[in-house]
Amino acid sequence: MSDLSVVIVSYNTRELLRACLRSLRESVGLQLEVIVVDNASIDGSAEMVRQAFPEVVLLEQTSNTWYCGGNNIGIKRATADYVLLLNPDTEVAPDALALMHRFLLENPNYAGVTGQLRYPDGEIQRTGSEIPTYLSLLLDYTVLGHLLPTARRRVHDELYYSDWDRQSDREVKVIPGSCTLMRREDLWLDDDLLLYFPEDTLACQHQKSSFFLSAAKIKHHEKSSARNLFATIIFFRDLMIYCRKQHRTPKMLLLWLLSRPIVALMWLKNR
């Protein structure tokens, strides 16, 4: 039986997915089960996996099940007790997965673990955060943030641990969906969400904190398949669903109303 199931949801990321799977093939210290959920890609991703990586479990979908739905399909198929959700635009260091797996195995008081994600140029990404408060949602995604920049900066600093450079280990509340390792029994994403806020929802579901393990190195080509107006529309859709579930409908309606000028400006910019 595998030590770790790795679930990768892919949508038109063939060459990035190839590099990701190649890095997983070079991982050491664990028996891996790699599962690729292909969301009806039209760039030949599924065929590439079949030909170049026959050891990978390929689950081809006839339509786009998005990030949350696709990962749930992969989690359901996984056989290991521990599951890693990994973006196709990542490349893991050879020992990264073994380090994370061993940490969670030896620390049952934590809900999950992630590694240190870096951009291709080596810059460390600012992952790991507190759970967003309703105030932080208002200041980040509505006109209030522009009207109250000092308050926004203060809340943002608290949310993302401004005193921490990600060069050291740290207990955190939210770990990134691009690299989330948890026990399979604890890992299930909200199917009402498509792309955004699943990691925040997971953190709300579990009373335990998670952990940022700086020694586990992962390269991340962030946002490789979502850089357009449509992705912005999906973002605000998911934001409203997340807010309604965590903060109730009246607060969601206020957030929706105050976010309309921001959405309009983004629409004009993308035109």
Side-chain angles (χ1 to χ4, degrees):
M1 184 175 176
S2 301
D3 301 306
L4 177 66
S5 295
V6 182
V7 176
I8 303 169
V9 176
S10 176
Y11 180 65
N12 293 331
T13 57
R14 183 184 61 194
E15 295 310 311
L16 288 165
L17 176 61
R18 188 195 304 273
C20 178
L21 294 175
R22 190 178 294 126
S23 73
L24 290 172
R25 190 180 265 173
E26 296 171 357
S27 289
V28 297
L30 291 175
Q31 182 70 33
L32 298 181
E33 173 188 53
V34 181
I35 301 167
V36 170
V37 181
D38 185 78
N39 271 335
S41 297
I42 59 174
D43 67 346
S45 293
E47 185 61 26
M48 180 276 293
V49 174
R50 273 195 299 271
Q51 291 184 0
F53 302 92
E55 72 276 15
V56 169
V57 177
L58 176 63
L59 305 178
E60 293 184 71
Q61 306 304 299
T62 58
S63 62
N64 189 353
T65 61
W66 300 91
Y67 174 85
C68 293
N71 272 302
N72 284 341
I73 290 169
I75 293 165
K76 187 175 181 179
R77 172 60 177 78
T79 61
D81 292 334
Y82 293 82
V83 176
L84 171 69
L85 305 185
L86 189 68
N87 272 16
D89 58 356
T90 60
E91 297 172 49
V92 300
D95 63 345
L97 303 192
L99 288 170
M100 289 192 293
H101 178 266
R102 184 169 70 243
F103 175 86
L104 203 56
L105 196 65
E106 295 175 351
N107 293 274
N109 291 329
Y110 286 100
V113 63
T114 190
Q116 184 195 76
L117 275 66
R118 289 177 177 261
Y119 293 106
D121 65 2
E123 180 185 353
I124 298 176
Q125 295 182 11
R126 193 167 63 163
T127 58
S129 70
E130 288 290 310
I131 297 172
T133 63
Y134 182 65
L135 177 60
S136 72
L137 297 179
L138 287 174
L139 291 173
D140 268 345
Y141 307 119
T142 77
V143 293
L144 290 182
H146 297 275
L147 297 174
L148 302 168
T150 301
R152 180 185 183 184
R153 185 164 52 251
R154 175 178 55 78
V155 171
H156 216 253
D157 286 348
E158 293 173 357
L159 181 64
Y160 289 102
Y161 313 121
S162 63
D163 60 338
W164 175 43
D165 62 4
R166 274 72 178 172
Q167 296 273 27
S168 58
D169 297 346
R170 179 164 181 159
E171 180 179 293
V172 298
K173 289 294 185 183
V174 181
I175 53 179
S178 50
C179 179
T180 293
L181 198 159
M182 296 179 68
R183 298 167 189 86
R184 185 178 51 172
E185 63 193 29
D186 296 331
L187 186 55
W188 193 258
L189 305 185
D190 186 345
D191 274 326
D192 289 339
L193 300 171
L194 298 180
L195 279 172
Y196 301 99
F197 297 96
E199 57 273 80
D200 304 291
T201 302
L202 276 174
C204 291
Q205 290 171 354
H206 299 288
Q207 297 300 316
K208 302 174 182 177
S209 294
S210 290
F211 202 79
F212 179 101
L213 194 62
S214 60
K217 311 293 186 184
I218 297 127
K219 183 192 296 185
H220 187 203
H221 304 263
E222 190 178 29
K223 295 183 180 178
S224 61
S225 60
R227 287 177 173 161
N228 51 45
L229 178 59
F230 184 60
T232 300
I233 294 170
I234 296 299
F235 175 85
F236 279 94
R237 172 205 179 272
D238 285 352
L239 170 61
M240 297 308 154
I241 291 173
Y242 172 77
C243 184
R244 174 175 57 80
K245 291 191 174 187
Q246 303 304 327
H247 302 289
R248 306 286 180 95
T249 300
K251 288 185 176 181
M252 181 273 288
L253 291 174
L254 178 60
L255 179 67
W256 181 88
L257 180 65
L258 294 176
S259 69
R260 293 308 88 189
I262 303 298
V263 174
L265 287 172
M266 289 183 171
W267 181 78
L268 289 171
K269 181 180 178 181
N270 279 277
R271 284 190 68 189

